[in-house]
């Protein structure tokens, strides 16, 4: 009997650990993020309900194009829990992505969420790469037109490229209040402190001279997760 109880307890622990691998379910109507709290929790502590206002659930600016005057020709207006406190514990976030002609949202991944992308204007070439398989890392990519949607599985490297000569706009939705962002090139060649060049040279089969040059570049982050979005004036 004791052995059966231990087995059941172990299975329940395993099930609960798998469930908690994603954003936890809310236990109340809302838990508006208290940015000033000194409590360390998984997410943000709740603001006192007496101090909650309608503006805690409100974000404006997604109708405005962000500046794409950068090396990548793209910019992201991210709406996550750091920018919209009412998202805390609700397990969702979204973003607007603006692309100049031939602009690129470079290969990146979201460690805490899958993503669904909707093309609102223009055309995009978008895809993702699988994790290691016996056949290698498989690319699933497709040209997307206005009105199309495409799914990027959680944690997989993906990208979007505006293959048209007019600007494009897309909206992305995430299954986490804070999906996270790991841009492949930035992580490899722009980490602080840097990954030793002899490790990257061997891993990427490049010369140390090439790796050193790559590490000297200023790697652009077009999706700053904190702070107000960069919106160009009309």
């Amino acid at each position: 009997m004791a052995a059966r109880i231990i087995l059941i307890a172990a299975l329940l622990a395993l099930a609960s650990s798998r469930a908690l691998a994603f954003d936890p379910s809310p236990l109340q109507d809302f838990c508006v993020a208290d940015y000033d709290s000194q409590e360390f929790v998984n997410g943000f502590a709740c603001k006192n309900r007496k101090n909650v206002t309608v503006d805690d659930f409100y974000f404006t600016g997604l109708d405005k194009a962000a500046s794409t005057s950068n090396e990548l020709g793209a910019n992201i207006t991210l709406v996550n829990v750091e920018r919209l406190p009412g998202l805390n514990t609700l397990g969702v976030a979204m973003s607007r992505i603006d692309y100049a002609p031939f602009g690129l949202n470079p290969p990146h991944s979201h460690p805490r969420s899958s993503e669904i992308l909707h093309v609102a204007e223009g055309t995009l070439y978008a895809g993702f790469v699988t994790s290691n398989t016996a056949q290698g890392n498989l690319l699933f990519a497709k040209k997307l037109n206005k009105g199309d949607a495409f799914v990027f599985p959680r944690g997989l490297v993906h990208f979007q490229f505006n293959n048209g000569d007019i600007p494009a706009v897309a909206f992305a939705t995430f299954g986490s209040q804070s999906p996270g962002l790991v841009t492949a090139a930035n992580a490899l060649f722009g980490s602080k402190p840097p990954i030793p060049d002899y490790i990257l040279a061997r891993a990427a089969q490049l010369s140390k001279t090439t790796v050193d040059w790559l590490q000297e570049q200023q790697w652009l982050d077009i999706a700053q997760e904190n702070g107000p979005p960069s919106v160009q004036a009309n």
Side-chain angles (χ1 to χ4, degrees):
M1 182 66 179
R4 290 182 62 186
I5 294 174
I6 293 173
L7 176 60
I8 292 171
L11 291 173
L12 288 173
L14 177 61
S16 63
S17 68
R18 289 177 62 85
L20 293 176
F22 299 91
D23 288 14
S25 299
L27 301 177
Q28 50 199 338
D29 287 347
F30 53 80
C31 170
V32 172
D34 183 355
Y35 297 143
D36 298 321
S37 174
Q38 300 301 308
E39 298 293 330
F40 291 95
V41 296
N42 185 22
F44 288 93
C46 300
K47 179 189 287 189
N48 189 317
R49 293 175 70 94
K50 296 179 180 179
N51 299 326
V52 172
T53 71
V54 67
D55 287 337
D56 290 320
F57 305 95
Y58 173 78
F59 183 95
T60 186
L62 290 177
D63 61 321
K64 297 179 174 63
S67 173
T68 55
S69 298
N70 55 56
E71 294 86 346
L72 294 173
N75 207 332
I76 298 174
T77 303
L78 183 62
V79 186
N80 63 359
V81 69
E82 280 83 7
R83 293 182 174 183
L84 182 56
L87 287 178
N88 193 39
T89 75
L90 298 186
V92 293
M94 68 176 299
S95 66
R96 169 180 172 142
I97 310 104
D98 290 283
Y99 313 81
F102 309 107
L104 172 68
N105 187 6
H108 62 280
S109 63
H110 302 291
R112 296 184 288 274
S113 178
S114 298
E115 171 185 353
I116 184 166
L117 183 84
H118 165 246
V119 181
E121 297 290 342
T123 61
L124 297 173
Y125 177 68
F128 64 87
V129 180
T130 68
S131 54
N132 299 1
T133 72
Q135 293 77 37
N137 299 92
L138 306 178
L139 171 65
F140 290 84
K142 186 176 180 65
K143 179 182 177 181
L144 306 178
N145 298 305
K146 179 178 178 179
D148 291 346
F150 197 83
V151 173
F152 304 113
R154 179 187 181 194
L156 297 187
V157 173
H158 58 282
F159 61 87
Q160 304 106 40
F161 175 69
N162 180 3
N163 53 358
D165 56 4
I166 62 172
V169 180
F171 291 89
T173 305
F174 304 94
S176 170
Q177 67 181 38
S178 183
L181 174 67
V182 181
T183 307
N186 302 39
L188 287 174
F189 301 111
S191 67
K192 298 177 182 180
I195 300 172
D197 57 2
Y198 59 86
I199 291 177
L200 289 177
R202 189 167 184 179
Q205 300 180 33
L206 298 171
S207 69
K208 287 178 62 176
T209 300
T210 300
V211 170
D212 291 341
W213 180 84
L214 288 169
Q215 290 183 319
E216 291 172 358
Q217 306 310 303
Q218 296 296 316
W219 295 98
L220 181 64
D221 181 2
I222 60 172
Q224 296 285 343
E225 290 215 29
N226 300 305
S230 174
V231 177
Q232 66 184 23
N234 291 328

